[in-house]
Amino acid sequence: MGASGSGKTSMRSLIFSNNPASLTARLGATIDVEQNHVRFLGDLILNLWDCGGQDAFMDSYLSTQRSTIFQHVGVMIYVFDVETREMNKDLEYYRDCLEGLRQYSSEAAVFLLVHKMDLVREPRLVLFEKKHKELQQASGDVPITVFGTSIYDESLYKAWSNIVHTLIPNAAILTKHLTTFAQACSATEVILFERTTFLVIATSSATARAATSAPVLSTASLPQESASQDDIHQLDPKRYERTSELIKAFKYSCSRVREEFHSLEMELADFTAVLDEMTRNTYVMVIVHDPTIETAAIKLNIRMARRKFEELQGDSIAL
């Protein structure tokens, strides 16, 4: 949902149709409702409704089509144009949409995207915090998750990975088994991607595993050196969405020269990275800092784990 021109169709095209941002200007306005049925993790179907934002359509959604639009909703994504001059009208429609959710899909998660952040001239963080506070106030007691997004950087992949993650029935189980796989590979980090969109499904990092397994100690009881010591492998907090963006761009480049993307191996001085198919619907990226571990061993572990992860995907349909 969102006002006409807020960028809903462009982001849908970028994430689910593999179109680059440079081609989204060719897209026309959405008329009424455009539905996408995206096969996600085997037989799990993501039914995405892109609702036109013209006033006539919005009024129709909130009156005569109310029960159709807001029935059986898993997630509502409302897109706000960061430069809109009609924010009050946007917020009015948004509050009406929340009322529709309360009536027909009270358990639905609500994600708000402050979109077109690339057009902002003032400090982005300051403006985003201001918008976040405004949207929180408009939402009342409804739990919301807010992201600042743009089709020209990795922020869109971060938002949509979080959105899709809430819809996967057994995401916690996938993460648990991914951690077991990461330990078997002696990996610093393992990331599971959905095959078509390259959105992040699950992750397991050595830092998170250490934090989970370590005994709880008060900071005061630790020696000063231990309390301030940084992890030896500093990882960029934007690495997941940045990887999604880069791989999608690489896949598009392959398609332009009529080649198909299958896998990727990188052996650098600091680390080794292997990106390969895990199942019919997923890719896995394994990051290893131990120089004694060969890429062939990592690929062998991936092949041996495929059957188990295929079974886990089957379980996600049954739940």
Side-chain angles (χ1 to χ4, degrees):
M1 305 293 287
S4 178
S6 60
K8 303 184 299 299
T9 302
S10 295
M11 68 171 65
R12 175 169 61 90
S13 172
L14 193 75
I15 296 292
F16 295 100
S17 300
N18 294 324
N19 289 326
S22 58
L23 298 183
T24 57
R26 303 177 183 179
L27 300 172
T30 301
I31 304 301
D32 201 5
V33 179
E34 290 186 11
Q35 295 189 37
N36 277 57
H37 300 281
V38 183
R39 189 171 295 279
F40 209 85
L41 291 184
D43 293 329
L44 190 65
I45 303 297
L46 181 65
N47 189 4
L48 182 67
W49 290 26
D50 182 1
C51 301
Q54 294 88 336
D55 289 354
F57 292 140
M58 293 294 284
D59 291 338
S60 175
Y61 304 149
L62 296 166
S63 56
T64 58
Q65 298 187 63
R66 194 179 187 91
S67 61
T68 302
I69 295 293
F70 295 103
Q71 193 82 253
H72 306 303
V73 175
V75 169
M76 183 181 78
I77 306 150
Y78 204 102
V79 183
F80 292 92
D81 184 342
V82 71
E83 291 200 319
T84 183
R85 297 181 179 180
E86 299 183 323
M87 190 63 179
N88 289 335
K89 186 170 75 172
D90 263 10
L91 290 175
E92 184 179 344
Y93 277 133
Y94 166 62
R95 282 189 284 263
D96 287 341
C97 288
L98 287 183
E99 189 57 41
L101 285 182
R102 286 194 189 97
Q103 187 176 356
Y104 294 101
S105 301
S106 58
E107 299 298 318
V110 178
F111 286 85
L112 308 181
L113 305 187
V114 181
H115 198 45
K116 301 184 181 180
M117 290 294 289
D118 56 290
L119 301 178
V120 174
R121 294 183 180 179
E122 61 183 285
R124 292 188 184 184
L125 184 59
V126 174
L127 179 61
F128 176 74
E129 290 298 332
K130 178 182 176 182
K131 290 289 185 182
H132 190 296
K133 186 176 180 179
E134 185 178 9
L135 293 173
Q136 186 71 66
Q137 186 175 1
S139 303
D141 58 353
V142 177
I144 60 172
T145 305
V146 186
F147 290 98
T149 57
S150 167
I151 62 173
Y152 294 103
D153 60 34
E154 67 278 358
S155 59
L156 197 61
Y157 289 94
K158 178 180 180 180
W160 277 91
S161 289
N162 279 269
I163 291 167
V164 168
H165 187 78
T166 65
L167 297 172
I168 298 174
N170 66 340
I173 297 174
L174 282 172
T175 301
K176 177 183 176 182
H177 285 274
L178 200 67
T179 297
T180 302
F181 172 75
Q183 291 170 337
C185 294
S186 299
T188 305
E189 187 154 49
V190 176
I191 313 163
L192 192 67
F193 297 97
E194 197 278 326
R195 184 187 184 97
T196 304
T197 62
F198 256 85
L199 296 175
V200 176
I201 296 172
T203 66
S204 177
S205 67
T207 304
R209 295 194 297 269
T212 303
S213 60
V216 178
L217 299 174
S218 65
T219 307
S221 67
L222 293 173
Q224 191 64 32
E225 286 185 72
S226 300
S228 60
Q229 186 178 14
D230 292 330
D231 182 56
I232 58 172
H233 303 307
Q234 289 294 331
L235 300 175
D236 191 324
K238 295 183 178 181
R239 60 193 181 278
Y240 301 136
E241 53 268 30
R242 185 65 177 146
T243 301
S244 295
E245 182 192 29
L246 289 172
I247 296 299
K248 284 287 286 291
F250 184 61
K251 285 182 66 180
Y252 179 73
S253 298
C254 289
S255 68
R256 291 190 65 185
V257 295
R258 299 182 180 179
E259 295 290 343
E260 189 173 348
F261 174 80
H262 290 290
S263 62
L264 179 68
E265 297 177 25
M266 296 175 62
E267 292 188 55
L268 304 177
D270 295 331
F271 68 92
T272 298
V274 174
L275 178 67
D276 204 354
E277 295 180 9
M278 175 61 90
T279 68
R280 294 187 305 271
N281 307 103
T282 60
Y283 269 87
V284 67
M285 173 171 273
V286 182
I287 308 294
V288 175
H289 282 83
D290 187 342
T292 64
I293 297 176
E294 300 288 343
T295 56
I298 298 172
K299 296 186 75 173
L300 177 61
N301 280 334
I302 293 173
R303 286 200 300 272
M304 294 178 67
R306 279 174 182 158
R307 182 175 178 181
K308 181 62 180 178
F309 277 85
E310 288 282 10
E311 292 175 0
L312 291 173
Q313 283 187 196
D315 292 341
S316 71
I317 310 307
L319 290 176

